[in-house]
Amino acid sequence: MSQKITFSNGKLQVPSNPVIPYIQGDGIGVDIWPASQQVWDAAVEKAYKGERKIEWKAVLAGEAAFIKTGEWMPAETMQAFKDYLVGIKGPLTTPVGGGIRSLNVALRQDLDLFVCLRPVNYFEGVPSPIKKPELVDMCIFRENTEDIYAGIEYMTGTPENQKVKDFLINEMGVKKIRFPESSSIGIKPVSKDGSERLVRAAIQYALDRKLPSVTLVHKGNIMKFTEGAFKNWGYELAETEFAGKVFTWPTWEKIKKEKGEEAANEVMKAALAEGKILIKDSIADAFLQDSLLHSEQFSVIATLNLNGDYISDALAAMVGGIGIAPGGNINYNTGYAIFEATHGTAPKIAGKNIANPGSLLLSGAMLLDYIGWTEAADLVREAMGKAIIHKTVTQDFAQFMDGATELGTKEFSNEIVKQL
Ligand code: NAI
């Protein structure tokens, strides 16, 4: 009998036949959804021999919903994600006029999914633009609810814009707006609460998986009270809530000041040898360079919304790009989570059995990890890795691989099932 996933005492309670709502998605959703579901179901069957099984519950959103119901985001769909806690979605068409942007945003805001989680791992054989992609093993925690994405913007020429500028110039004495007559204005809220819950989730993730470090990526050198505060709050939280489990960069600096660099290095080395996690920070522009040149130095990345947007796509490109990059939006305090293919609907190749199902497939593996079915998740990743090593891949990869066998979406997933 199918059952609901629930959340109590800070933990997901997962029955053996959980109902999981899904949005197939528009465009290539029709290709990649069935291909992926086949692999997940086979992996779960293989891992648990029939003792566990997902009951998939189709819900509508996007163009498919609009055609059937006249609504881009039917209320039942939102309710299903609330009722069943954990869900997954394919890509959705953005209608002209922008209704659906509020759809993705509505899901994130209504469920307060404050972490956008993007693992970045290399699969041997995947075409990559960098020299040593095998050194890339990172996981990005992007803050999902604040920053310039809060949408507090005032277009120049509007009365609202004038009101904000009058306040800034006349009441706050701001003199730094270069062209006050023609400036649009955007507001960047970054809170202590929002920063702390993000950094807390990132450190906990690193601890649970015994990962070596968490890097706070920011532009605190320029935006001191938003980006800089994010870094400071992050370090404070690490030192108070995770005392004894982490070693922070400010601690290294303090020891260096008191006893010299060698002593600081010794203490740090000993702490890391004991299994403590290194908490460090990096300025966003330097990070983008260093992550390319010294990928091995980074593991978990915690960052604000806009930096996270850029970083997610830049790192994804290092290990194969959007056809294969998975993602999830999660609230670790309530359990709500929606996993998703990170690319769009790819309308030109939709319905042609060409698309790479990798992004959705790996997002499903993240979902399996999230509900604690890690054996099945590992099977999905391993089998996909084997299909790639054997050079049996979809068109987007085959064109850059010597001697590859080009497979359709369905045939690629059949091959993965064979490799399970
Ligand atoms: P896109 O991601 O759909 O396509 C960009 C390029 O990547 C295209 O050349 C496409 O063919 C290719 N591509 C994407 N996914 C692929 C896959 N799985 N396998 C092989 N090739 C793949 O981005 P685009 O063209 O900007 O957007 C198309 C539509 O998707 C728009 O309506 C957009 O608003 C929507 N979109 C929805 C998102 C979501 O629901 N999360 C995210 C991004 C875009």
Side-chain angles (χ1 to χ4, degrees), residues 163-194:
K163 212 167 168 180
V164 175
K165 280 192 297 213
D166 285 346
F167 170 73
L168 289 173
I169 294 166
N170 301 332
E171 292 190 40
M172 300 296 289
V174 170
K175 294 194 175 65
K176 294 178 183 167
I177 304 176
R178 183 66 189 85
F179 295 107
E181 286 304 313
S182 64
S183 280
S184 280
I185 299 276
I187 310 259
K188 178 183 173 83
V190 174
S191 69
K192 186 168 193 242
D193 286 327

Side-chain angles (χ1 to χ4, degrees), residues 102-114:
S102 54
L103 191 168
N104 280 322
V105 173
L107 280 172
R108 283 175 202 172
Q109 280 179 350
D110 264 41
L111 303 176
D112 193 22
L113 306 174
F114 64 86

Side-chain angles (χ1 to χ4, degrees), residues 117-118 313 316 321-328 340-344 359-360 363:
L117 184 64
R118 296 277 294 264
D313 278 19
I322 49 174
I324 197 184
E340 63 177 355
T342 57
H343 52 71
S359 173
L360 186 62
S363 301

Side-chain angles (χ1 to χ4, degrees), residues 279-299:
I279 314 289
K280 53 185 176 167
D281 74 279
S282 178
I283 292 178
D285 42 315
F287 171 79
L288 283 170
Q289 180 170 264
D290 288 344
S291 57
L292 266 177
L293 299 174
H294 310 288
S295 315
E296 72 286 357
Q297 291 179 2
F298 301 100
S299 175

